[in-house]
Amino acid sequence: MDLMDSGEKFNPRQDWDTTVQFLPASDSKHLEKTPGRRRKLWIGVGLVLSAAAVALVTGLLVWHFQLRSDVRVNKVYIGSMGINNQRFLPAYEDHRNPQFTHLAGLVSKQLKLIYSQNSVLAKHFKGSTVQAFSEGDGGDSVVAYYQSEFDVHVLQQETLDKAIESLDPAAQQGRQGRFLKRVDALNVNNVVSRAIDPRMTKKSLVERKSFNIHVSEAGVVQSPGFPDSSYPPNVYLQWRLRADPGHRVRLDFHTLILEDDCEQDFIQIYDSLAPIAPRVLTEQCGYPHDSLSFLSSGNVLLLTLITNEEKNFPGFRANYSQIPLTEQKCGGELTLEKGSFSSPFFPSNYPPKTTCVWTIEAPKEKFLKVQFNKFLLGKYSSQCLNDYVDINGQRLCGNKLKSNVVISRSNKMTIKFNSDSSHVDQGFTAEYEAYVPTNPCPGRFQCTNNLCINQTLQCDGWNDCGDSSDEDNCKCEASQMKCKNGRCKPKFWECDGFDDCGDKTDEENCLKCKPGEFSCRNNRCIPEKFKCNGKDDCSDGSDESACEKSLVLQTCSEFTFSCRSGDCISKLNPECDGEKDCEDGSDEDGCQCGTKPYRSSRIVGGEASRKGEWPWQVSLHIRGTGHVCGASVLSNRWLLTAAHCVQDNGPNKYSQADQWEVLLGLHMQSQTNEWTVRRNLRRIIAHEDYNAFTYDNDVALMELDSNVTLNQDIWPICLPSPTYDFPAGQEAWITGWGATREGGLGANILQKAEVRIINSTVCKSLMEEQVTDKMLCAGVLKGGVDACQGDSGGPLSVTGPSGRVFLAGVVSWGDGCARRNKPGVYARVTKYRRWIKENTGV
Ligand SMILES: *[C@@H]1O[C@H](CO)[C@@H](O)[C@H](O)[C@H]1NC(C)=O
Ligand SMILES: *[C@@H]1O[C@H](CO)[C@@H](O)[C@H](O)[C@H]1NC(C)=O
Ligand SMILES: *[C@@H]1O[C@H](CO)[C@@H](O)[C@H](O)[C@H]1NC(C)=O
Ligand SMILES: *[C@@H]1O[C@H](CO)[C@@H](O)[C@H](O)[C@H]1NC(C)=O
Ligand SMILES: [Ca+2]
Ligand SMILES: [Ca+2]
C-alpha cells in the first residue's frame, strides 16, 4: 500500500475553526515601564483629568510622549554591499573560513566608515556582522550580506530609517565615491539596507537555522516533516540557494500549504542571500494558486519560512535547479505579419531586474495591433514605476488592463518589458497582427475596444467584447427577450431578481402583487403584514417559510423545516446556519460539512479552480478508461452521483462496483499527489425509479470499500433538508473535469463555472416540458463556450447563508457542458434527502 492510500495524513481540520483566536504577536519588550516613568504617567493622567474635554487629546499625547521618551531600542538593518575588484572565492561560502573572516572584517570596517559620514548613523551605530557573500554581477566583484545594529531612541527610529535609505544607490546618484575613499578601504559600488521585518525578530521564534544549497545539481527543498507531518512551530528557517556563476536559480513549488494568515506562517523569496525588503520577490501563505515558479536575477536566491505556535499545516516542497543566464533572452525583432510574444519564462514568474525590447515592423500600408491574453504585472501604480510594459511610449502595469487590445496607427511598434528589483508576477502573453486599416477584423466582428470576436458571438446575450459593444443594436431571437437598451438576453433570466439587461428592464413587470402585498409561491397575494405572523395565510405555507426569526408553527408545509421533535419552524433554510433554531437543536446536527479549508485571497476570473476549492468533488474512473463521471462526498464512506453514470452499456457493466475506481482529493487528472486518495467501491445503489428515457430520478449512491480520512482536500458537502429553498436567481457553481458521457476531451485541472438557478416554470417551458419537479435548472453566467465544466454526476454547489456549501443538484442532462443560452438540468437533491438517509444513514 502506498502513501496515498494510508489515509493517515496530516489532518488540520480541527484547527480550521475560524473562531479560534490568533495569538497576539506583539513584542512589547522595548516599551516596558519603569517605576519612575509610571509616576510621570500618573501625573499625566492627573493633568488629563483636570483638563477640559478639548485638552484631553493633548494630554494623552503628552502622556504618550513622556512614557516613551527615554526608551531605547536596538534597531537592526539587513543589507547588501557590492565590492569591486574582488574575486569570489569558494572559501567565502563558509563563515568559519579565515578568508571569510578577513573579508567580513573589511566589510564591517567599511560600513563603519560609511556610517561615520552621516551624523545620525554615526551617533547610534553599534556594530555590523556579515552573514554571507556571493558573486557580484560580471565576475569581478563580490556581494556581502550583512546586518547592522543601532541603538536609538524610540522616537528617532524614523530618522534612522531615512538616514539608512539615503545610502541607497538611487539616493546616492552623483555623490558616488564621496564616502568610499580611504587607502585600505574596499571599492564599494552598491549599498542597500532596510530595517528587519518585525516578524523575523519575534521572541517566540525558538529555532533559527540556515541551510546552504548548491543548485548546480537539481534537487528538492521541503519544509521539515513534509509530507508526513506538519511543519514545526516557532521556526525561522532560511535556505540559501546558489547557482554556478553565470546562472540563475530556478525554484518551482510542487506543493505549498500554510496557515491562511501571513502574519502567522509564511514563506518569502528574495533575490538576494539576505532578507532585504527591497529584494523580496514574493510572500506567500495559505493555499496559493498563482504561479509558484521563481527565477533569480543573479546566481542566488533566498527562501525563508517563519511559523508560529498554532495551526501548523503540511508546508511545502519545491524543486530547485539552475539555468544559464544566456538562456531565454527576451525581446527581438518581429517581422512576420502575425505572431506572439510573452514575458521571459512565462508561465513562471518573470525574474527581477529584467528588460526586454521587441520591435515589430509590418509592411508600410498596414497598421499593427497587440492583444494581451494574460497580463499580470504586480500591483498597479498610476505612473507604473515598478514593473511595466511600454508600448510606443504608453505604460501599462497592474493586472487589469482598460483594454486588452492596443493599436498603433503606423506599421511600427516598440514594446518594452521592464521588471524592477522586487515583487515579481506571472507576466503576460500577447499576440500581434498587422492589419489593413480599412478592414481591421476580417471575417470577424470588431468591438468598440478594437477586439475582434467570432461573428457568432454578436447579439447572443453575452458580453464578449468586454465593453458590451457586441450586444448593442441587436435583433432578438425567439428564445430571447429585448431589453430597453437594445440588448437581447436569454428569456430564462427574466424576473430572477438580477439586472441582466443593465437597465433593469428584465426585472420590470414581474411582481404580480400590488405594493404592500406579499406574493405567495402559489401566486396568491396577501397583505405584507401577514408574512411571518405564525399563521398560514397563503395556504401553501410560503408566507411563513422565509422569516428572520424562527417561530414554532402550528402547521407544517412543504416550505417549512421540520425539527426532529416534529415541530416546524418558520425560518428559511435554518439548517447548519450556526444558530440553534429548533428547541432540540436538530437543525444544527450533522453539520460537519460544506466548509472550504482556505479563504480566497484573490478572486480569479478564469475557469480553472484552486486546489482544495471543491473538497467534495470526486472523480469516478472506469478501470482502463479513466475519468468518466463526477460525484460528491457525502461522508467518509458515501458518495452521490448520477444514476445514468452507472447504467450498463452493452459490454460495459457500469452498474458493477468492481468496474470503478474513485479518486478523492484530486485537482489535476494527470497529477495525483500525497493528498489524493484512491478507493474501490463496495456497492452502488442507483435510484430504483430512475428512468433512462426521461432522466427522472437520476441519482445513485456509492459506498466506498473502506472509510476515508476527511481532511482539507476531502470533505463532505452539506445535504439540504427536503424543505431547503434554492430560489430562482441564486448563484451556484458547477465543477468537473469536463468529460462527457459520450467521450470527448476532458480538462486536466478541475474546472468550475458560475451558474444561476432558473425559475422552474420558465425552465419547463424552455425545455419543452421534459423537466419534472424532481429536476432543477441552472444556466451558465459567463464564457463556457468551449469548456465543458460540469461532469455528469458532479455537484451543483450553492453557498448557504452561513458560508457552508449545500448540494443543490447532481449534474444530469441538458447541459453539464455549460453552453450559452442552454440551461443545464440537475437532479434536485432536496427530493432525495429521505432516500439518501434511508440508504446510507447520512
Ligand atoms: C521535481 O524533481 C523530482 C525529482 O527530482 C521530479 O521527479 C519531479 O518531476 C520534479 N517536479 C517538478 C514540478 O519539476
Ligand atoms: C465561430 O463559432 C462557430 C460556432 O461556435 C464555429 O463553428 C466557428 O468555427 C467559429 N469561427 C471561428 C473563426 O473561430
Ligand atoms: C467508518 O465510518 C463510520 C462512520 O463514521 C463508522 O461508523 C465505522 O465504524 C467506520 N468503519 C471503520 C472500519 O473504521
Ligand atoms: C416563475 O416564473 C413564473 C412565470 O414568470 C411565475 O409565475 C412564478 O412565480 C415564478 N416562480 C418563482 C418560484 O419565482
Ligand atoms: Ca456576445
Ligand atoms: Ca439553525
Side-chain angles (χ1 to χ4, degrees):
M1 186 149 284
D2 67 6
L3 274 177
M4 292 167 189
D5 276 28
S6 73
E8 292 301 316
K9 283 276 134 37
F10 166 79
N11 182 358
R13 180 60 65 169
Q14 62 272 27
D15 284 349
W16 296 343
D17 193 342
T18 45
T19 60
V20 172
Q21 300 222 318
F22 298 125
L23 276 181
S26 75
D27 183 355
S28 53
K29 178 176 122 200
H30 304 307
L31 297 175
E32 275 165 16
K33 290 170 267 194
T34 62
R37 244 168 262 131
R38 192 163 291 155
R39 250 208 350 256
K40 283 184 202 159
L41 167 90
W42 284 116
I43 295 165
V45 171
L47 284 172
V48 167
L49 288 175
S50 62
V54 180
L56 182 68
V57 177
T58 331
L60 282 171
L61 287 174
V62 168
W63 164 74
H64 187 68
F65 180 82
Q66 288 189 343
L67 168 69
R68 298 177 55 159
S69 63
D70 50 358
V71 178
R72 302 186 72 83
V73 290
N74 186 46
K75 196 107 188 184
V76 178
Y77 294 86
I78 306 259
S80 68
M81 172 196 280
I83 307 162
N84 295 330
N85 306 326
Q86 290 275 331
R87 256 190 186 283
F88 184 82
L89 306 174
Y92 292 158
E93 287 183 30
D94 176 8
H95 69 277
R96 285 157 307 198
N97 190 294
Q99 283 173 303
F100 181 107
T101 321
H102 174 70
L103 187 57
L106 292 180
V107 169
S108 296
K109 253 195 209 163
Q110 183 72 40
L111 284 166
K112 191 168 178 189
L113 178 63
I114 292 171
Y115 298 146
S116 72
Q117 318 225 334
N118 177 306
S119 60
V120 177
L121 298 175
K123 192 165 150 207
H124 302 295
F125 178 60
K126 272 174 64 190
S128 301
T129 51
V130 173
Q131 267 102 35
F133 293 106
S134 71
E135 276 103 352
D137 298 337
D140 250 11
S141 64
V142 171
V143 180
Y145 303 92
Y146 60 86
Q147 175 170 319
S148 294
E149 294 185 32
F150 294 81
D151 179 55
V152 68
H153 283 173
V154 159
L155 298 175
Q156 286 186 320
Q157 293 185 79
E158 253 181 64
T159 318
L160 194 62
D161 287 347
K162 288 220 178 79
I164 280 284
E165 281 168 37
S166 74
L167 302 177
D168 276 12
Q172 282 290 327
Q173 256 165 27
R175 292 192 284 151
Q176 204 72 15
R178 194 198 57 164
F179 55 57
L180 308 173
K181 293 295 171 226
R182 202 184 253 194
V183 182
D184 64 340
L186 297 168
N187 183 347
V188 170
N189 66 18
N190 203 326
V191 177
V192 175
S193 55
R194 282 297 179 282
I196 196 167
D197 187 326
R199 291 173 299 177
M200 294 174 180
T201 56
K202 280 190 292 195
K203 274 180 296 175
S204 55
L205 296 171
V206 293
E207 190 187 346
R208 293 163 185 271
K209 266 195 197 147
S210 296
F211 308 95
N212 289 302
I213 297 175
H214 264 278
V215 304
S216 42
E217 250 176 64
V220 172
V221 56
Q222 59 192 30
S223 51
F226 188 92
D228 301 314
S229 63
S230 51
Y231 48 73
N234 300 319
V235 297
Y236 175 11
L237 304 178
Q238 292 192 342
W239 289 266
R240 296 181 185 142
L241 308 175
R242 292 172 195 267
D244 292 339
H247 289 72
R248 298 178 196 276
V249 180
R250 176 177 186 120
L251 191 60
D252 299 304
F253 283 82
H254 150 270
T255 309
L256 178 61
I257 308 174
L258 303 179
E259 182 179 351
D260 207 0
D261 180 348
C262 289
E263 289 305 305
Q264 315 300 337
D265 298 346
F266 60 97
I267 62 157
Q268 286 178 318
I269 296 173
Y270 292 88
D271 190 41
S272 159
L273 276 186
I276 312 166
R279 297 284 176 269
V280 72
L281 299 186
T282 194
E283 174 175 312
Q284 299 282 345
C285 57
Y287 212 167
H289 55 287
D290 298 333
S291 170
L292 288 171
S293 281
F294 297 89
L295 293 136
S296 60
S297 65
N299 72 330
V300 295
L301 198 71
L302 177 75
L303 168 65
T304 65
L305 168 70
I306 291 183
T307 69
N308 75 338
E309 179 67 32
E310 293 180 313
K311 298 196 184 182
N312 301 312
F313 282 75
F316 66 83
R317 173 180 280 168
N319 282 19
Y320 56 75
S321 56
Q322 69 176 27
I323 45 177
L325 275 175
T326 50
E327 195 174 292
Q328 194 148 11
K329 280 260 180 249
C330 61
E333 279 171 32
L334 305 171
T335 49
L336 298 176
E337 292 205 18
K338 206 172 169 175
S340 62
F341 57 99
S342 60
S343 53
F345 299 99
F346 188 91
S348 297
N349 290 289
Y350 50 75
K353 294 202 267 188
T354 301
T355 302
C356 319
V357 178
W358 294 268
T359 54
I360 311 177
E361 190 164 348
K364 279 221 165 46
E365 68 283 3
K366 293 198 169 174
F367 287 177
L368 283 165
K369 75 176 149 196
V370 168
Q371 180 178 334
F372 289 98
N373 297 321
K374 194 136 198 185
F375 194 88
L376 294 165
L377 259 66
K379 274 220 184 80
Y380 175 80
S381 69
S382 59
Q383 292 179 308
C384 295
L385 295 174
N386 304 110
D387 304 346
Y388 61 84
V389 168
D390 181 307
I391 301 190
N392 285 355
Q394 179 198 353
R395 273 195 190 187
L396 309 171
C397 59
N399 51 34
K400 218 178 189 162
L401 292 175
K402 267 201 212 94
S403 166
N404 291 333
V405 182
V406 180
I407 58 171
S408 138
R409 304 208 172 275
S410 79
N411 66 330
K412 285 187 187 144
M413 220 175 207
T414 305
I415 297 131
K416 180 176 162 192
F417 165 76
N418 184 73
S419 63
D420 67 358
S421 57
S422 67
H423 292 108
V424 294
D425 207 335
Q426 203 174 1
F428 67 87
T429 59
E431 289 169 59
Y432 73 91
E433 198 178 342
Y435 65 94
V436 181
T438 51
N439 185 12
C441 291
R444 289 178 294 169
F445 173 80
Q446 186 187 10
C447 306
T448 309
N449 61 14
N450 295 315
L451 200 69
C452 301
I453 60 168
N454 190 329
Q455 258 159 359
T456 59
L457 300 179
Q458 197 191 351
C459 294
D460 67 347
W462 261 266
N463 172 6
D464 298 283
C465 286
D467 63 2
S468 290
S469 51
D470 56 322
E471 297 300 320
D472 288 338
N473 311 315
C474 295
K475 226 177 113 199
C476 302
E477 286 168 20
S479 65
Q480 294 177 322
M481 63 184 162
K482 178 109 186 167
C483 305
K484 270 214 192 84
N485 59 16
R487 296 190 185 151
C488 305
K489 291 283 167 185
K491 270 197 179 136
F492 49 79
W493 294 145
E494 221 169 353
C495 296
D496 68 349
F498 277 83
D499 175 15
D500 293 284
C501 283
D503 62 2
K504 299 209 172 85
T505 41
D506 56 317
E507 297 300 316
E508 279 171 8
N509 314 318
C510 297
L511 264 181
K512 297 210 186 55
C513 296
K514 294 200 241 1
E517 286 185 331
F518 173 81
S519 346
C520 305
R521 295 286 188 92
N522 56 14
N523 291 334
R524 278 175 63 171
C525 297
I526 58 163
E528 188 78 45
K529 62 174 191 247
F530 289 170
K531 193 184 153 202
C532 299
N533 65 354
K535 282 226 295 285
D536 177 8
D537 298 288
C538 284
S539 80
D540 66 356
S542 56
D543 57 321
E544 298 304 317
S545 72
C547 306
E548 283 290 310
K549 280 235 294 286
S550 44
L551 293 171
V552 176
L553 301 169
Q554 273 126 25
T555 49
C556 300
S557 79
E558 60 171 310
F559 305 116
T560 55
F561 181 79
S562 314
C563 305
R564 196 179 299 120
S565 63
D567 282 351
C568 285
I569 54 172
S570 63
K571 185 179 176 183
L572 183 68
N573 301 341
E575 58 260 56
C576 300
D577 69 350
E579 283 172 34
K580 185 178 153 195
D581 298 296
C582 291
E583 228 145 65
D584 59 7
S586 54
D587 58 311
E588 297 296 317
D589 275 355
C591 294
Q592 290 290 92
C593 61
T595 48
K596 296 183 181 185
Y598 300 98
R599 32 162 223 270
S600 284
S601 47
R602 178 160 145 186
I603 308 292
V604 282
E607 268 88 43
S609 62
R610 296 192 306 139
K611 204 163 163 296
E613 194 178 355
W614 310 102
W616 37 85
Q617 173 80 46
V618 179
S619 170
L620 301 179
H621 284 211
I622 285 283
R623 292 179 196 286
T625 302
H627 174 86
V628 291
C629 272
S632 306
V633 176
L634 303 185
S635 72
N636 64 352
R637 201 167 185 92
W638 288 95
L639 313 177
L640 185 66
T641 184
H644 78 255
C645 288
V646 295
Q647 299 301 308
D648 290 344
N649 183 3
N652 302 319
K653 302 293 175 208
Y654 293 161
S655 65
Q656 308 293 307
D658 61 6
Q659 300 292 303
W660 295 87
E661 182 182 41
V662 308
L663 279 77
L664 303 99
L666 187 70
H667 182 59
M668 285 167 74
Q669 287 288 344
S670 66
Q671 196 180 320
T672 54
N673 64 19
E674 290 86 342
W675 292 281
T676 311
V677 170
R678 292 171 187 269
R679 281 287 186 278
N680 297 322
L681 295 182
R682 179 196 178 99
R683 60 181 162 141
I684 296 172
I685 308 172
H687 199 284
E688 42 290 357
D689 298 326
Y690 166 67
N691 184 323
F693 298 101
T694 61
Y695 280 59
D696 216 12
N697 304 308
D698 192 8
V699 288
L701 289 160
M702 289 179 159
E703 187 181 8
L704 306 178
D705 66 345
S706 62
N707 290 355
V708 291
T709 305
L710 300 175
N711 62 26
Q712 77 268 9
D713 289 298
I714 304 172
W715 196 248
I717 188 167
C718 297
L719 283 169
S721 70
T723 57
Y724 202 97
D725 186 34
F726 296 106
Q730 172 124 41
E731 280 154 15
W733 290 87
I734 53 172
T735 45
W737 286 273
T740 53
R741 203 162 59 108
E742 297 77 27
L745 223 51
N748 183 26
I749 299 176
L750 181 62
Q751 303 288 301
K752 64 179 178 187
E754 193 179 10
V755 297
R756 230 193 270 150
I757 291 175
I758 297 171
N759 174 325
S760 36
T761 317
V762 172
C763 189
K764 276 179 194 168
S765 70
L766 274 174
M767 307 300 271
E768 289 146 8
E769 311 291 330
Q770 294 169 328
V771 175
T772 70
D773 288 337
K774 288 185 271 184
M775 300 174 188
L776 180 154
C777 299
V780 67
L781 287 178
K782 302 188 196 88
V785 257
D786 308 313
C788 185
Q789 283 97 338
D791 288 324
S792 280
L796 175 70
S797 305
V798 171
T799 304
S802 67
R804 284 182 196 276
V805 181
F806 286 82
L807 184 64
V810 173
V811 178
S812 178
W813 61 279
D815 199 2
C817 286
R819 245 168 279 134
R820 296 167 168 223
N821 300 327
K822 259 201 112 228
V825 184
Y826 303 79
R828 196 182 272 273
V829 173
T830 49
K831 300 288 182 192
Y832 303 98
R833 185 66 192 94
R834 287 199 186 96
W835 178 78
I836 293 169
K837 182 91 186 168
E838 280 160 17
N839 282 283
T840 68
V842 178

